[in-house]
Amino acid sequence: MRSRRRRATPARLTAQRAGTLSRRPLPGWLRSLLVLGVGVAAALTLAAPGNAQTPPDVAATHTIQTLTSGDLAAVPADFPRVMGYAPAPRTWPTARYA
């Protein structure tokens, strides 16, 4: 009777020496995790960062500083008509500690 064993061809011997025949395929979850990791790395590498060198908006900075000080002079005249309410200053009670 003939053996069912494969004949050793030069290509098969070379593959055995390289170690490619003894490897088992990766499990599905590990393959998915690997693809996800490569995708995230590519996305983070290719994502364009924002321009950090933009100059500050002087008008917005002035408006915020004015409004936080309680002065409503920086509010535009048409603000109540456009937004539907009139801004009013609010004073918060101070905390009393015993």
Side-chain angles (χ1 to χ4, degrees):
M1 222 181 218
R2 280 187 138 173
S3 172
R4 291 188 180 244
R5 194 172 199 189
R6 285 188 174 180
R7 295 176 73 191
T9 61
R12 187 169 173 83
L13 291 174
T14 306
Q16 281 178 337
R17 285 188 204 120
T20 57
L21 289 181
S22 63
R23 290 188 182 166
R24 288 179 282 155
L26 292 174
W29 65 270
L30 187 58
R31 214 172 327 146
S32 298
L33 187 63
L34 183 64
V35 169
L36 178 67
V38 169
V40 168
L44 291 176
T45 302
L46 299 176
N51 187 0
Q53 301 299 322
T54 56
D57 189 355
V58 178
T61 303
H62 174 70
T63 302
I64 291 170
Q65 288 174 348
T66 304
L67 290 175
T68 55
S69 69
D71 184 15
L72 295 179
V75 176
D78 63 345
F79 184 86
R81 182 181 54 80
V82 172
M83 298 306 289
Y85 71 95
R90 169 77 180 179
T91 56
W92 298 95
T94 58
R96 294 183 185 178
Y97 297 104

Coordinates of all heavy atoms in Angstrom, one line a residue:
M1 N 0.8 -1.2 0.0 CA 0.0 0.0 0.0 C 0.9 1.2 0.0 O 1.9 1.3 0.6 CB -0.9 0.0 1.3 CG -2.2 0.4 1.0 SD -3.2 0.4 2.5 CE -4.6 -0.2 1.8
R2 N 0.4 2.2 -0.7 CA 1.1 3.5 -0.7 C 0.8 4.4 0.5 O -0.3 4.4 1.0 CB 0.7 4.3 -2.0 CG 1.4 3.8 -3.2 CD 1.0 4.7 -4.3 NE 2.3 4.9 -5.1 CZ 2.3 5.6 -6.2 NH1 1.2 6.1 -6.6 NH2 3.4 5.8 -6.8
S3 N 1.8 5.1 0.9 CA 1.6 6.0 2.0 C 0.9 7.3 1.5 O 1.2 7.7 0.4 CB 3.0 6.4 2.6 OG 2.9 7.4 3.5
R4 N 0.1 7.9 2.3 CA -0.5 9.1 1.9 C 0.3 10.3 2.2 O -0.1 11.5 2.1 CB -1.9 9.2 2.6 CG -2.8 8.2 2.2 CD -4.2 8.5 2.8 NE -5.1 7.5 2.4 CZ -6.2 7.8 1.6 NH1 -6.4 9.0 1.3 NH2 -7.0 6.8 1.3
R5 N 1.5 10.1 2.6 CA 2.4 11.2 3.0 C 2.8 12.0 1.7 O 3.0 11.3 0.7 CB 3.6 10.6 3.7 CG 4.4 11.6 4.3 CD 5.4 10.9 5.1 NE 6.0 11.8 6.1 CZ 7.0 11.5 6.9 NH1 7.6 10.4 6.8 NH2 7.4 12.4 7.8
R6 N 2.9 13.3 1.8 CA 3.3 14.0 0.6 C 4.8 13.8 0.4 O 5.6 13.7 1.3 CB 3.0 15.5 0.9 CG 1.6 15.9 0.8 CD 1.6 17.4 0.9 NE 0.2 17.9 0.6 CZ -0.2 19.1 0.6 NH1 0.7 20.0 0.9 NH2 -1.4 19.5 0.4
R7 N 5.1 13.9 -0.9 CA 6.5 13.8 -1.2 C 7.2 15.1 -0.9 O 6.6 16.2 -1.0 CB 6.6 13.6 -2.7 CG 6.0 12.2 -3.1 CD 6.1 12.0 -4.5 NE 7.4 11.7 -5.0 CZ 7.8 11.7 -6.2 NH1 6.9 11.9 -7.2 NH2 9.0 11.5 -6.6
A8 N 8.4 15.1 -0.5 CA 9.2 16.3 -0.1 C 9.7 16.9 -1.4 O 10.6 16.4 -2.0 CB 10.3 15.9 0.8
T9 N 9.1 18.0 -1.8 CA 9.6 18.7 -2.9 C 10.5 19.8 -2.4 O 10.5 20.2 -1.3 CB 8.4 19.4 -3.7 OG1 7.7 20.3 -2.8 CG2 7.4 18.3 -4.2
P10 N 11.4 20.4 -3.3 CA 12.3 21.4 -2.9 C 11.5 22.7 -2.3 O 12.0 23.3 -1.4 CB 13.1 21.8 -4.1 CG 13.0 20.5 -5.0 CD 11.6 19.9 -4.7
A11 N 10.4 23.0 -2.9 CA 9.7 24.2 -2.5 C 9.1 23.9 -1.1 O 9.1 24.8 -0.2 CB 8.5 24.5 -3.4
R12 N 8.6 22.7 -0.8 CA 8.1 22.4 0.5 C 9.2 22.3 1.6 O 9.0 22.8 2.7 CB 7.4 21.0 0.4 CG 6.7 20.6 1.7 CD 5.8 19.4 1.4 NE 5.2 18.9 2.6 CZ 4.1 19.4 3.2 NH1 3.5 20.4 2.6 NH2 3.6 18.9 4.3
L13 N 10.4 21.8 1.2 CA 11.5 21.8 2.2 C 11.9 23.3 2.5 O 12.2 23.6 3.6 CB 12.6 21.0 1.6 CG 12.4 19.5 1.5 CD1 13.6 18.9 0.8 CD2 12.2 18.9 2.9
T14 N 11.9 24.1 1.5 CA 12.3 25.5 1.7 C 11.3 26.2 2.6 O 11.6 26.9 3.5 CB 12.4 26.3 0.4 OG1 13.3 25.6 -0.5 CG2 12.9 27.7 0.6
A15 N 10.0 25.9 2.4 CA 8.9 26.5 3.3 C 9.0 26.0 4.7 O 8.8 26.7 5.6 CB 7.6 26.2 2.7
Q16 N 9.4 24.7 4.8 CA 9.5 24.2 6.2 C 10.7 24.8 6.9 O 10.6 25.1 8.1 CB 9.8 22.7 6.1 CG 8.5 21.9 5.9 CD 8.8 20.4 5.8 OE1 9.9 20.0 5.5 NE2 7.7 19.6 6.1
R17 N 11.8 25.1 6.2 CA 12.9 25.7 6.9 C 12.6 27.1 7.2 O 13.1 27.6 8.2 CB 14.1 25.7 5.9 CG 14.8 24.4 5.8 CD 16.0 24.4 5.0 NE 16.3 23.1 4.5 CZ 16.4 22.8 3.2 NH1 16.3 23.8 2.3 NH2 16.6 21.6 2.8
A18 N 11.8 27.8 6.4 CA 11.4 29.2 6.7 C 10.4 29.3 7.9 O 10.2 30.3 8.4 CB 10.8 29.9 5.5
G19 N 9.8 28.2 8.2 CA 8.8 28.1 9.3 C 7.4 28.6 8.9 O 6.6 28.8 9.8
T20 N 7.1 28.6 7.6 CA 5.8 29.1 7.2 C 4.7 28.0 7.2 O 3.6 28.3 7.3 CB 5.8 29.7 5.8 OG1 6.3 28.7 4.9 CG2 6.7 30.9 5.7
L21 N 5.2 26.7 7.2 CA 4.2 25.7 7.2 C 3.7 25.3 8.6 O 2.6 24.8 8.7 CB 4.8 24.4 6.6 CG 5.0 24.4 5.1 CD1 5.6 23.1 4.6 CD2 3.7 24.7 4.4
S22 N 4.4 25.6 9.6 CA 4.0 25.3 11.0 C 3.2 26.3 11.6 O 2.6 26.1 12.7 CB 5.3 25.0 11.8 OG 6.0 26.2 11.9
R23 N 3.0 27.5 11.0 CA 2.2 28.6 11.6 C 0.7 28.3 11.4 O 0.3 27.8 10.4 CB 2.5 29.9 10.9 CG 3.9 30.4 11.3 CD 4.0 31.8 10.7 NE 5.4 32.3 11.0 CZ 5.9 33.3 10.5 NH1 5.2 34.0 9.6 NH2 7.1 33.7 10.8
R24 N 0.0 28.6 12.5 CA -1.5 28.4 12.4 C -2.0 29.8 12.1 O -1.5 30.8 12.5 CB -2.0 28.0 13.8 CG -1.7 26.5 14.0 CD -2.2 26.1 15.3 NE -1.3 26.6 16.4 CZ -1.6 26.8 17.6 NH1 -2.8 26.6 18.0 NH2 -0.7 27.3 18.5
P25 N -3.2 29.9 11.5 CA -3.8 31.2 11.2 C -4.2 31.9 12.5 O -4.5 31.2 13.5 CB -5.0 30.9 10.4 CG -5.2 29.4 10.5 CD -4.0 28.8 10.9
L26 N -4.2 33.2 12.5 CA -4.6 33.9 13.7 C -6.1 33.8 14.0 O -6.9 33.7 13.0 CB -4.3 35.4 13.5 CG -2.9 35.8 13.4 CD1 -2.8 37.3 13.1 CD2 -2.2 35.6 14.8
P27 N -6.5 33.8 15.2 CA -8.0 33.7 15.5 C -8.7 35.0 15.0 O -8.1 36.0 14.8 CB -8.1 33.7 17.0 CG -6.7 33.4 17.5 CD -5.7 33.7 16.4
G28 N -9.9 34.8 14.7 CA -10.7 36.0 14.1 C -10.7 37.2 15.0 O -10.5 38.3 14.5
W29 N -10.8 37.1 16.3 CA -10.9 38.2 17.1 C -9.5 38.9 17.1 O -9.4 40.2 17.2 CB -11.3 37.9 18.6 CG -10.3 37.0 19.3 CD1 -10.3 35.6 19.3 CD2 -9.2 37.4 20.0 NE1 -9.3 35.2 20.0 CE2 -8.5 36.2 20.5 CE3 -8.7 38.6 20.4 CZ2 -7.4 36.3 21.3 CZ3 -7.5 38.7 21.2 CH2 -6.9 37.5 21.6
L30 N -8.4 38.2 17.1 CA -7.1 38.8 17.1 C -6.8 39.5 15.7 O -6.2 40.6 15.7 CB -6.0 37.7 17.3 CG -4.6 38.2 17.5 CD1 -4.6 39.2 18.7 CD2 -3.7 37.0 17.8
R31 N -7.3 38.9 14.7 CA -7.1 39.5 13.4 C -7.9 40.8 13.3 O -7.4 41.8 12.8 CB -7.6 38.5 12.3 CG -6.9 38.6 11.0 CD -7.2 37.6 10.0 NE -7.6 36.3 10.7 CZ -8.5 35.5 10.2 NH1 -9.2 35.8 9.1 NH2 -8.8 34.4 10.9
S32 N -9.1 40.8 13.8 CA -10.0 42.0 13.9 C -9.3 43.1 14.7 O -9.3 44.3 14.4 CB -11.3 41.7 14.4 OG -12.0 40.8 13.6
L33 N -8.8 42.7 15.9 CA -8.1 43.7 16.7 C -6.9 44.3 16.1 O -6.6 45.5 16.2 CB -7.7 43.0 18.0 CG -7.1 43.9 19.1 CD1 -8.2 44.9 19.6 CD2 -6.7 43.0 20.3
L34 N -6.1 43.5 15.3 CA -5.0 43.9 14.6 C -5.4 44.9 13.5 O -4.7 46.0 13.4 CB -4.2 42.7 14.0 CG -2.9 43.0 13.3 CD1 -1.9 43.6 14.2 CD2 -2.4 41.8 12.6
V35 N -6.4 44.6 12.8 CA -6.9 45.5 11.7 C -7.4 46.8 12.3 O -7.1 47.9 11.8 CB -8.0 44.8 10.9 CG1 -8.7 45.8 10.0 CG2 -7.4 43.7 10.1
L36 N -8.1 46.7 13.4 CA -8.6 47.9 14.1 C -7.4 48.8 14.6 O -7.4 50.0 14.4 CB -9.4 47.6 15.3 CG -10.0 48.7 16.1 CD1 -11.0 49.6 15.3 CD2 -10.6 48.2 17.4
G37 N -6.4 48.2 15.2 CA -5.2 48.9 15.6 C -4.5 49.6 14.5 O -4.1 50.8 14.6
V38 N -4.3 48.9 13.4 CA -3.7 49.6 12.2 C -4.5 50.7 11.7 O -4.0 51.8 11.3 CB -3.4 48.5 11.1 CG1 -3.0 49.1 9.8 CG2 -2.4 47.5 11.6
G39 N -5.8 50.5 11.7 CA -6.7 51.6 11.2 C -6.7 52.8 12.1 O -6.6 54.0 11.6
V40 N -6.7 52.6 13.4 CA -6.6 53.8 14.4 C -5.2 54.5 14.2 O -5.1 55.7 14.2 CB -6.8 53.3 15.8 CG1 -6.4 54.4 16.8 CG2 -8.3 52.9 16.0
A41 N -4.2 53.7 14.1 CA -2.8 54.3 13.9 C -2.8 55.1 12.6 O -2.2 56.2 12.6 CB -1.8 53.2 13.9
A42 N -3.3 54.6 11.6 CA -3.3 55.3 10.3 C -4.2 56.6 10.4 O -3.8 57.7 9.9 CB -3.9 54.4 9.2
A43 N -5.3 56.5 11.1 CA -6.2 57.7 11.2 C -5.5 58.8 12.0 O -5.6 60.0 11.7 CB -7.5 57.3 11.8
L44 N -4.8 58.4 13.1 CA -4.1 59.4 14.0 C -2.9 60.0 13.2 O -2.6 61.1 13.5 CB -3.7 58.7 15.3 CG -4.9 58.4 16.2 CD1 -4.3 57.7 17.5 CD2 -5.6 59.6 16.6
T45 N -2.3 59.2 12.4 CA -1.1 59.7 11.7 C -1.5 60.6 10.6 O -0.9 61.6 10.4 CB -0.4 58.5 11.1 OG1 0.0 57.6 12.1 CG2 0.9 58.9 10.3
L46 N -2.6 60.3 9.9 CA -3.1 61.1 8.8 C -3.9 62.3 9.2 O -4.2 63.2 8.3 CB -3.8 60.3 7.8 CG -3.0 59.1 7.2 CD1 -3.8 58.3 6.3 CD2 -1.8 59.7 6.4
A47 N -4.4 62.3 10.4 CA -5.3 63.4 10.8 C -4.5 64.7 10.9 O -3.4 64.8 11.4 CB -5.9 63.1 12.2
A48 N -5.1 65.7 10.2 CA -4.4 67.0 10.2 C -4.6 67.8 11.5 O -5.8 68.0 11.9 CB -4.9 67.9 9.0
P49 N -3.6 68.2 12.2 CA -3.9 68.9 13.5 C -4.4 70.3 13.2 O -4.1 70.9 12.1 CB -2.5 69.0 14.1 CG -1.5 68.8 13.0 CD -2.2 68.0 11.9
G50 N -5.1 70.9 14.1 CA -5.6 72.2 13.9 C -4.4 73.2 13.9 O -3.3 73.0 14.4
N51 N -4.7 74.4 13.4 CA -3.6 75.4 13.3 C -3.5 76.1 14.7 O -4.3 76.9 15.1 CB -4.0 76.4 12.2 CG -2.9 77.4 12.0 OD1 -1.8 77.3 12.6 ND2 -3.1 78.3 11.1
A52 N -2.5 75.7 15.4 CA -2.3 76.2 16.7 C -1.7 77.6 16.7 O -1.6 78.3 17.8 CB -1.3 75.3 17.5
Q53 N -1.3 78.1 15.5 CA -0.7 79.4 15.5 C -1.7 80.5 15.1 O -1.3 81.6 14.7 CB 0.4 79.4 14.4 CG 1.5 78.4 14.7 CD 2.2 78.7 16.0 OE1 2.4 79.8 16.3 NE2 2.5 77.6 16.7
T54 N -3.0 80.3 15.3 CA -4.0 81.3 15.0 C -3.9 82.4 16.1 O -3.8 82.2 17.3 CB -5.4 80.8 15.0 OG1 -5.7 80.1 16.3 CG2 -5.6 79.8 13.9
P55 N -4.0 83.7 15.6 CA -3.9 84.8 16.6 C -5.2 84.9 17.4 O -6.3 84.5 16.9 CB -3.7 86.0 15.7 CG -4.3 85.7 14.4 CD -4.0 84.2 14.3
P56 N -5.2 85.3 18.6 CA -6.4 85.4 19.4 C -7.3 86.5 18.9 O -6.9 87.5 18.3 CB -5.9 85.8 20.8 CG -4.6 86.4 20.6 CD -4.0 85.7 19.4
D57 N -8.6 86.3 19.0 CA -9.6 87.2 18.5 C -9.7 88.3 19.6 O -10.2 88.1 20.7 CB -10.9 86.5 18.3 CG -12.0 87.4 17.7 OD1 -11.7 88.6 17.4 OD2 -13.1 86.9 17.4
V58 N -9.2 89.5 19.3 CA -9.1 90.6 20.3 C -10.5 91.0 20.7 O -10.8 91.3 21.9 CB -8.3 91.8 19.7 CG1 -8.3 92.9 20.6 CG2 -6.9 91.3 19.3
A59 N -11.5 91.1 19.7 CA -12.8 91.6 20.0 C -13.5 90.6 21.0 O -14.2 91.0 21.9 CB -13.6 91.8 18.7
A60 N -13.4 89.3 20.7 CA -14.0 88.3 21.6 C -13.4 88.3 22.9 O -14.1 88.2 23.9 CB -13.9 86.9 20.9
T61 N -12.1 88.5 23.0 CA -11.4 88.5 24.3 C -11.9 89.7 25.1 O -12.2 89.6 26.3 CB -9.9 88.6 24.1 OG1 -9.5 87.5 23.4 CG2 -9.2 88.6 25.5
H62 N -12.1 90.9 24.5 CA -12.5 92.1 25.1 C -14.0 91.9 25.6 O -14.3 92.3 26.7 CB -12.4 93.3 24.2 CG -13.0 94.6 24.8 ND1 -12.5 95.2 25.8 CD2 -14.2 95.2 24.5 CE1 -13.2 96.3 26.1 NE2 -14.2 96.3 25.3
T63 N -14.8 91.3 24.8 CA -16.2 91.1 25.1 C -16.4 90.2 26.3 O -17.1 90.5 27.2 CB -17.0 90.5 23.9 OG1 -16.9 91.4 22.8 CG2 -18.5 90.3 24.2
I64 N -15.6 89.1 26.3 CA -15.7 88.2 27.5 C -15.2 88.8 28.8 O -15.8 88.7 29.8 CB -14.9 86.9 27.2 CG1 -15.5 86.1 26.0 CG2 -14.7 86.1 28.4 CD1 -14.7 85.0 25.5
Q65 N -14.1 89.6 28.7 CA -13.6 90.3 29.9 C -14.6 91.3 30.4 O -14.8 91.5 31.6 CB -12.3 90.9 29.6 CG -11.2 89.9 29.5 CD -9.9 90.5 29.0 OE1 -9.8 91.7 28.6 NE2 -8.8 89.8 29.1
T66 N -15.3 92.0 29.5 CA -16.3 93.0 29.8 C -17.5 92.4 30.5 O -18.0 92.9 31.5 CB -16.7 93.9 28.6 OG1 -15.5 94.4 28.0 CG2 -17.6 95.0 29.0
L67 N -18.0 91.3 29.9 CA -19.2 90.7 30.4 C -19.0 90.0 31.7 O -19.9 90.0 32.6 CB -19.7 89.7 29.3 CG -20.3 90.3 28.1 CD1 -20.7 89.2 27.1 CD2 -21.5 91.2 28.4
T68 N -17.8 89.4 31.9 CA -17.6 88.8 33.2 C -17.3 89.8 34.3 O -17.4 89.4 35.5 CB -16.4 87.8 33.1 OG1 -15.2 88.5 32.6 CG2 -16.7 86.6 32.2
S69 N -17.0 91.0 34.0 CA -16.9 92.0 35.0 C -18.2 92.6 35.4 O -18.3 93.4 36.4 CB -15.9 93.1 34.6 OG -16.5 93.9 33.5
G70 N -19.3 92.3 34.7 CA -20.6 92.8 35.0 C -21.1 94.0 34.2 O -22.2 94.5 34.3
D71 N -20.2 94.5 33.3 CA -20.6 95.6 32.4 C -21.3 95.1 31.2 O -20.7 94.3 30.5 CB -19.3 96.4 32.1 CG -19.6 97.6 31.3 OD1 -20.8 98.0 31.2 OD2 -18.6 98.1 30.7
L72 N -22.5 95.5 30.9 CA -23.2 95.0 29.8 C -23.1 95.9 28.6 O -23.8 95.8 27.6 CB -24.7 94.9 30.1 CG -25.0 93.9 31.2 CD1 -26.5 93.8 31.5 CD2 -24.6 92.5 30.8
A73 N -22.1 96.8 28.6 CA -21.9 97.7 27.4 C -21.4 97.0 26.2 O -21.6 97.4 25.1 CB -20.8 98.8 27.8
A74 N -20.9 95.8 26.4 CA -20.3 95.0 25.2 C -21.5 94.2 24.5 O -21.2 93.7 23.4 CB -19.3 94.1 25.7
V75 N -22.7 94.2 25.1 CA -23.8 93.5 24.5 C -24.3 94.3 23.3 O -24.6 95.5 23.4 CB -24.9 93.2 25.5 CG1 -26.1 92.6 24.8 CG2 -24.4 92.4 26.6
P76 N -24.4 93.7 22.1 CA -24.9 94.5 21.0 C -26.3 95.0 21.2 O -27.1 94.4 22.0 CB -24.9 93.5 19.8 CG -24.0 92.4 20.3 CD -24.1 92.4 21.7
A77 N -26.7 96.1 20.5 CA -28.0 96.7 20.7 C -29.2 95.8 20.3 O -30.3 95.8 20.8 CB -28.1 98.0 20.0
D78 N -28.9 95.0 19.2 CA -30.0 94.1 18.7 C -30.0 92.7 19.4 O -30.8 91.9 19.0 CB -29.9 94.0 17.2 CG -28.6 93.3 16.8 OD1 -27.7 93.2 17.6 OD2 -28.5 92.9 15.6
F79 N -29.3 92.6 20.5 CA -29.2 91.3 21.1 C -30.6 90.8 21.6 O -31.0 89.6 21.4 CB -28.2 91.3 22.3 CG -28.0 90.0 23.0 CD1 -27.1 89.1 22.5 CD2 -28.8 89.6 24.1 CE1 -26.9 87.8 23.1 CE2 -28.6 88.4 24.7 CZ -27.6 87.5 24.2
P80 N -31.4 91.6 22.3 CA -32.7 91.2 22.8 C -33.6 90.7 21.7 O -34.4 89.8 21.8 CB -33.3 92.3 23.6 CG -32.1 93.2 24.0 CD -31.1 93.0 22.9
R81 N -33.6 91.5 20.6 CA -34.5 91.1 19.4 C -34.0 89.8 18.8 O -34.9 89.0 18.4 CB -34.4 92.3 18.4 CG -35.4 92.0 17.2 CD -35.3 93.2 16.2 NE -33.9 93.5 15.7 CZ -33.3 92.8 14.8 NH1 -33.9 91.7 14.2 NH2 -32.1 93.1 14.4
V82 N -32.7 89.6 18.6 CA -32.2 88.4 17.9 C -32.3 87.2 18.8 O -32.8 86.1 18.3 CB -30.8 88.7 17.4 CG1 -30.2 87.4 16.9 CG2 -30.7 89.8 16.4
M83 N -31.9 87.3 20.0 CA -31.9 86.1 20.9 C -33.2 85.9 21.7 O -33.4 84.8 22.2 CB -30.7 86.3 21.9 CG -29.4 86.4 21.3 SD -29.0 85.0 20.1 CE -28.8 83.7 21.3
G84 N -34.0 86.9 21.8 CA -35.3 86.7 22.5 C -35.3 86.9 24.0 O -36.3 86.7 24.7
Y85 N -34.2 87.4 24.5 CA -34.2 87.8 25.9 C -33.2 88.9 26.1 O -32.3 89.1 25.3 CB -33.8 86.6 26.8 CG -32.4 86.1 26.7 CD1 -31.4 86.6 27.6 CD2 -32.0 85.3 25.7 CE1 -30.1 86.2 27.5 CE2 -30.7 84.8 25.6 CZ -29.8 85.3 26.5 OH -28.5 84.9 26.4
A86 N -33.4 89.7 27.2 CA -32.5 90.8 27.5 C -31.5 90.3 28.6 O -32.0 89.8 29.7 CB -33.2 92.0 27.9
P87 N -30.2 90.4 28.4 CA -29.3 90.0 29.5 C -29.4 90.9 30.7 O -29.6 92.1 30.5 CB -27.9 90.0 28.8 CG -28.1 91.0 27.7 CD -29.5 90.9 27.3
A88 N -29.2 90.4 31.9 CA -29.2 91.2 33.1 C -28.0 90.7 33.9 O -27.7 89.5 34.0 CB -30.5 91.1 33.8
P89 N -27.4 91.6 34.7 CA -26.3 91.2 35.5 C -26.8 90.3 36.7 O -27.9 90.6 37.2 CB -25.6 92.5 36.0 CG -26.7 93.5 35.8 CD -27.6 93.0 34.7
R90 N -26.0 89.4 37.1 CA -26.4 88.5 38.2 C -25.4 88.6 39.3 O -24.2 88.4 39.0 CB -26.6 87.1 37.7 CG -26.8 86.1 38.8 CD -28.1 86.1 39.3 NE -28.2 85.0 40.4 CZ -29.2 84.8 41.1 NH1 -30.3 85.5 40.9 NH2 -29.2 83.8 41.9
T91 N -25.7 88.8 40.5 CA -24.8 88.8 41.6 C -25.1 87.5 42.4 O -26.2 87.2 42.7 CB -24.9 90.0 42.5 OG1 -26.2 90.1 43.0 CG2 -24.5 91.3 41.7
W92 N -24.1 86.8 42.7 CA -24.2 85.6 43.4 C -24.0 85.8 44.9 O -23.1 86.6 45.3 CB -23.2 84.5 42.9 CG -23.4 84.2 41.5 CD1 -22.8 84.7 40.4 CD2 -24.4 83.3 41.0 NE1 -23.3 84.2 39.3 CE2 -24.3 83.3 39.6 CE3 -25.3 82.5 41.6 CZ2 -25.1 82.5 38.8 CZ3 -26.1 81.7 40.7 CH2 -26.0 81.7 39.4
P93 N -24.8 85.2 45.8 CA -24.6 85.4 47.2 C -23.2 84.8 47.6 O -22.8 83.8 47.1 CB -25.8 84.6 47.8 CG -26.2 83.6 46.8 CD -25.9 84.2 45.4
T94 N -22.7 85.4 48.6 CA -21.4 84.9 49.1 C -21.7 83.8 50.1 O -22.7 83.8 50.8 CB -20.6 86.1 49.8 OG1 -21.4 86.6 50.8 CG2 -20.2 87.1 48.8
A95 N -20.8 82.9 50.1 CA -20.9 81.8 51.1 C -20.5 82.2 52.5 O -19.6 83.0 52.7 CB -20.0 80.6 50.6
R96 N -21.3 81.7 53.4 CA -21.0 82.1 54.8 C -20.5 80.8 55.5 O -21.1 79.8 55.5 CB -22.3 82.6 55.5 CG -22.8 83.9 54.9 CD -24.0 84.3 55.7 NE -24.5 85.5 55.1 CZ -25.6 86.2 55.5 NH1 -26.2 85.7 56.5 NH2 -26.0 87.2 54.8
Y97 N -19.4 81.0 56.1 CA -18.8 79.8 56.8 C -18.7 80.2 58.3 O -18.4 81.3 58.7 CB -17.3 79.6 56.3 CG -17.3 79.2 54.8 CD1 -16.9 80.1 53.8 CD2 -17.7 77.9 54.5 CE1 -16.9 79.7 52.5 CE2 -17.7 77.5 53.1 CZ -17.3 78.4 52.2 OH -17.3 78.0 50.9
A98 N -19.0 79.2 59.0 CA -19.1 79.4 60.5 C -17.7 79.2 61.1 O -16.8 78.7 60.7 CB -20.0 78.4 61.1

